[in-house]
Structures are given as C-alpha cells and as structure tokens.
Amino acid sequence: MGADACDAACTLIAHACAYDNQRGAEYGATAGVGQSKACPSPVVIDPFCGHGTAIAVANEFGLDSLGVELSRKRCRAAQTLTILKAPG
C-alpha cells in the first residue's frame, strides 16, 4: 500500500472516530459510569507491515498502531520510518 492510500485510510479512521466522539458527547451517550459509547481510541493493525508505511501514517495522525513483520530487516526499517508532509 502506498503512502497516499495509507493517508486516505487513516484520514477516514480519524474523521470517523472524531465524528462518533462528537456525537456521543452531544447526546450524552454513556455505556456505564464514566464510559462513553463513542468510538474508542482506534488502533491501526497492519499484519504484513513491510517497511511500515501504514504504521508511520497512522502515527502522523496520532493513532495507535501495531505492525507485524517476519523480516528483521524490514522490521528495523519500519521502526525508523517517518512520513514527511509536503509543504502547503
């Protein structure tokens, strides 16, 4: 998956959860004492993370992420990958 596709997926996740959380707060929806029914903090899971593009994009959006990769070389690359946003 390319960086643009990862960016689109994480944008969708972040906006959907922000919308759910806003709606839950507006209507005072609670599942129990102190628990909201609104979207919990989402976790992006990438079971074949390769070089870590999806994980890096998720981190840029402030989302928690978990990646699994068998290759030690790719795993090391994924740990250090950062996404640079284009100016403008």
Side-chain angles (χ1 to χ4, degrees):
M1 181 183 284
D4 290 337
C6 293
D7 188 79
C10 288
T11 298
L12 178 68
I13 292 167
H15 288 323
C17 287
Y19 174 76
D20 273 358
N21 287 335
Q22 180 182 11
R23 226 178 54 179
E26 287 174 4
Y27 295 107
T30 57
V33 177
Q35 294 180 336
S36 173
K37 285 185 181 178
C39 186
S41 181
V43 177
V44 173
I45 299 174
D46 187 358
F48 306 100
C49 75
H51 292 280
T53 306
I55 301 301
V57 171
N59 290 336
E60 278 297 312
F61 276 88
L63 303 171
D64 292 329
S65 58
L66 173 67
V68 178
E69 178 57 53
L70 291 177
S71 166
R72 289 180 187 204
K73 181 179 177 181
R74 287 185 175 182
C75 192
R76 282 190 297 273
Q79 288 175 331
T80 61
L81 182 66
T82 56
I83 301 296
L84 300 176
K85 299 227 179 211

